[in-house]
Every structure is written in C-alpha cells, then in structure tokens.
Amino acid sequence: MLTVDNAYPFLHARGLVDRAAVLDGDLEITSSTRRNRNLTIKSETGANYVIKQPEPDAIDAQNTLRREMAFYSFCSKTAAAEPVRALLPRLAYTDSEDVLLVLDLVPRSTQLWRHYETSGPENFPVAAAREVGAALGIMHRTFAAPDLLRDVGGAGLVADPPTPLSLAYPAPDVRSYISPAALEIVQRVQSEDGMLARLDAIAARWRATTVVHGDIKLDNILVQHAAPEDGDGSAVRVYLVDWELVQKGDPAWDVAGALRDFIFFWVIFMNPELEPDQMAEQARFPLAVLQGAIRELWAGYCATNSEADEDLLARAVDYAAVRMIRTALDLSSTFPAVPAPAELLLRVASNLLADPMNGRVELFGLDKARVAA
C-alpha cells in the first residue's frame, strides 16, 4: 500500500512526477482516510494527483473501487463517452492488481457543499446548481444510447435497484450491527400505515435505462472556478467524482440524490436545540432560497436531456424521500436516540411519501407553472 513515504518513487517510476519537484522542495504528499486510504500529491510546478486505494482487508471497498476504475478506463478509451469524460477528473493511472486509482486533482476547485456554504443565503450560487443539473443530463443522455449502454456492461456495472430501496427489509441480524436510534427508524418505517406498500411501489418503478453515478451528493461534486486570466470570476464548471457506486440504473435516482441533498443542506444548518417547527422557521438557509436553486437544477437537466419529463421527475421525488430516510439512518448510526436532524428528515420524508405532488411544490418548489417557465 502506498504511503506518504513511498508514493514518490511509485509516481516517478511511472512518469507521473519528476525529480525536480523533490529537489526544489515543491512536492507535498498528504494522507486522508475515509472509505479508502487516499493520498493527495501537490506540486506548484508539476502534476497534482489524488490516489485512491482501499484498505488491504476491505473487500467491499476493493470491489467498489474496481468498479470505479473500470468505469474511468471505459470512458477514457471510448470515443462515444467523450461528453461524460469531460465531467470527470482526468485518469492518470490504474493498477487493477493492487486496486489503485490515480486521478488528476481539479485545480481551483471546491466541494459543492463548501461552495454553497461560503456563498451564503444572500448570494446563493444558483448557477452552480444549474451546472449540476446539466452535467447529470449529459451523462444520462450519453449512456442512454443502446450501443453504449450495452458496451459499458463490460465494465461490470450492475443494474439492480440500489440498497436504499429495500431499507424497510433489513437483514435478520440487523440488531447486532446498528444503533438503537437507527433501529428505531427502521421500526417506525415498518409500522407506519401504508408505508411498506408505498416503498414497494416505488422500488417496482426502477428502470435501468442509462448509467447513473449512484451516489450524487454535495461531497461528490466539485465546483471549479474560472482561472484569473479568464476574467469572469463568477464562471464555474462542475466535475462529478467518487464513482464507486456507478451502475446501470434509473436516471431519476441521480436527480433524487441532488434533491435530497438540498433538503439535507437545509436541515443540517438548523439549530438542533429547537423544536422541529422552529428549526425550519429559523434555518440559516431559507427553503425559498434553496427552491430557486432546485428549479435551476431541473432546468439545467431538462436543457441537456430530452428524456426529462413529468414521469422522471415524479420518480425522482419519490426516490428523494427514500434517500432522506437513508440519510436519517446514517445520521443515527452512532446514537442511542434519533438526533434532531434525522428526526426532521424522517418527518419530511414521511410527508413527501404521503403526498408527493404537494411535496414537489411545497418542499422543492417545482410546480408545473414554474418548471415550464
């Protein structure tokens, strides 16, 4: 496994960095661990990279990283995938035996989460939301081509519905590995009148008609700011990263991920010491501000994907509710009782599932008149 101590000779041997960067004291290598043990390589005068590698005994992480590597390799070699390749960091190197992926760092970029937060509610960057929608539309339109969708199957992409769509049916030994708070959420979902039938109906609508990222969220989208010499400091470009859950699937699933994250962003900046109604009223980012960005997201998607229609949006709204429940589960994973943000997400998801058309308007601001405009 590569470390900060042995990464340089590895990169140098493969022609990715030169000796000058070391001799000039210009090479900086840092380590960070999340799902994988990643390295970041920065140099003022040379190339800049991120290295993704799983822990040696993390079989699931190895499998998902292999999937990401195969997808990157497919896009880098397939002419028809060029529109999607433009949305990815450049592939620098892969090693299938050691399960290692090297990508270019995207210069002048920040995570979308940070871009939204630092802009604040007064100057919320709705243009970035439109670019995200456009990027998703390009990806879904590109891989909806039957020949390309067939060929990408060689990258080992599955087509089954993702696990959150079966969250109401946990494994029999669930009590042995989830927290009391997460278990309470599962039990509440199972006991709520009509909820299981509604979730079953949503899962049954899954259709694998294109390639989906599978894990669209604010952390997995980079916003690149224009170079100073370009003059327009407001211009941005987005990149989609962390493709470990890429698969054949329903395009509405990715749109739902973006919708869910706007609501999560709304909730996470609330004061958890308040009652739920007060939390919403005093949110740092008012829902009306985020709804403007949501409309731009959908407009950008429609502009780049002619398959965007009312049915796709309806599925995305349903999927967004499911993804909110999953986020509530994740937030509760280490707590004895359901924390306030998870409680509010669960309440919002329940209301959305009970009346998705009303939720589409009141929660997301996507009434037909505004969408058409």
Side-chain angles (χ1 to χ4, degrees):
M1 172 166 279
L2 295 183
T3 68
V4 294
D5 297 317
N6 62 18
Y8 164 70
F10 172 89
L11 294 168
H12 176 68
R14 288 152 183 82
L16 298 176
V17 298
D18 56 30
R19 289 190 176 89
V22 175
L23 296 176
D24 294 342
D26 183 41
L27 192 68
E28 177 186 358
I29 303 177
T30 56
S31 175
S32 62
T33 301
R34 293 177 65 185
R35 177 178 173 83
N36 299 305
R37 188 184 298 180
N38 299 335
L39 298 175
T40 301
I41 293 86
K42 293 184 178 180
S43 170
E44 292 293 331
T45 58
N48 296 270
Y49 305 105
V50 60
I51 299 176
K52 298 185 67 172
Q53 52 185 350
E55 297 288 351
D57 57 348
I59 302 303
D60 287 346
Q62 290 179 23
N63 291 337
T64 56
L65 187 53
R66 286 185 190 277
R67 190 191 309 180
E68 181 175 19
M69 291 164 56
F71 180 71
Y72 265 101
S73 295
F74 178 88
C75 290
S76 70
K77 298 173 183 177
T78 306
E82 192 281 330
V84 175
R85 187 162 62 244
L87 304 172
L88 312 177
R90 188 187 71 89
L91 175 64
Y93 179 83
T94 62
D95 186 329
S96 58
E97 183 175 344
D98 290 333
V99 196
L100 184 145
L101 175 64
V102 184
L103 302 169
D104 277 356
L105 277 179
V106 178
R108 305 179 311 280
S109 66
T110 57
Q111 286 181 318
L112 186 58
W113 179 281
R114 183 65 175 162
H115 184 59
Y116 284 165
E117 181 186 5
T118 55
S119 297
E122 299 82 7
N123 300 295
F124 198 80
V126 296
R130 189 180 184 95
E131 290 299 315
V132 172
L136 294 177
I138 289 169
M139 175 182 64
H140 295 157
R141 180 196 68 211
T142 300
F143 277 104
D147 289 348
L148 194 60
L149 185 61
R150 180 200 63 223
D151 293 345
V152 78
L157 303 190
V158 300
D160 298 332
T163 54
L165 285 176
S166 58
L167 57 81
Y169 301 96
D173 61 344
V174 63
R175 290 179 178 273
S176 67
Y177 60 83
I178 69 171
S179 71
L183 182 61
E184 179 184 340
I185 288 176
V186 173
Q187 291 171 333
R188 286 163 62 177
V189 168
Q190 291 177 330
S191 62
E192 185 169 333
D193 187 39
M195 178 70 82
L196 290 182
R198 182 82 176 101
L199 293 175
D200 287 344
I202 290 171
R205 298 182 70 191
W206 178 260
R207 54 191 66 180
T209 59
T210 187
V211 166
V212 297
H213 178 282
D215 195 22
I216 288 295
K217 58 184 178 181
L218 294 171
D219 288 351
N220 290 341
I221 300 170
L222 298 180
V223 177
Q224 182 186 50
H225 304 272
E229 59 269 22
D230 291 342
D232 185 2
S234 64
V236 298
R237 175 180 175 182
V238 301
Y239 289 83
L240 307 179
V241 300
D242 288 342
W243 290 77
E244 294 184 43
L245 298 185
V246 63
Q247 66 166 98
K248 295 180 180 181
D250 191 331
W253 186 251
D254 283 341
V255 177
L259 294 178
R260 179 277 317 272
D261 249 26
F262 274 115
I263 304 308
F264 180 53
F265 187 83
W266 176 52
V267 168
I268 210 66
F269 284 102
M270 295 178 182
N271 182 352
E273 301 300 322
L274 301 175
E275 293 298 318
D277 290 339
Q278 292 177 309
M279 289 171 63
E281 291 170 1
Q282 300 180 31
R284 178 187 168 194
F285 289 86
L287 187 57
V289 169
L290 300 182
Q291 287 175 343
I294 290 170
R295 287 191 289 272
E296 286 298 304
L297 172 98
W298 181 244
Y301 187 82
C302 292
T304 56
N305 185 5
S306 61
E307 297 299 315
D309 58 15
E310 285 290 320
D311 186 58
L312 191 152
L313 182 56
R315 296 197 313 278
V317 169
D318 283 341
Y319 290 155
V322 175
R323 296 187 75 148
M324 286 178 210
I325 298 173
R326 178 54 187 262
T327 301
L329 274 170
D330 293 340
L331 289 175
S332 303
S333 62
T334 60
F335 288 89
V338 178
E343 183 68 49
L344 186 53
L345 279 173
L346 195 60
R347 177 187 296 189
V348 171
S350 179
N351 291 338
L352 189 57
L353 288 169
D355 191 346
M357 181 53 73
N358 181 66
R360 168 182 155 174
V361 175
E362 297 299 325
L363 184 64
F364 297 122
L366 290 172
D367 59 271
K368 289 188 178 182
R370 286 182 172 179
V371 169

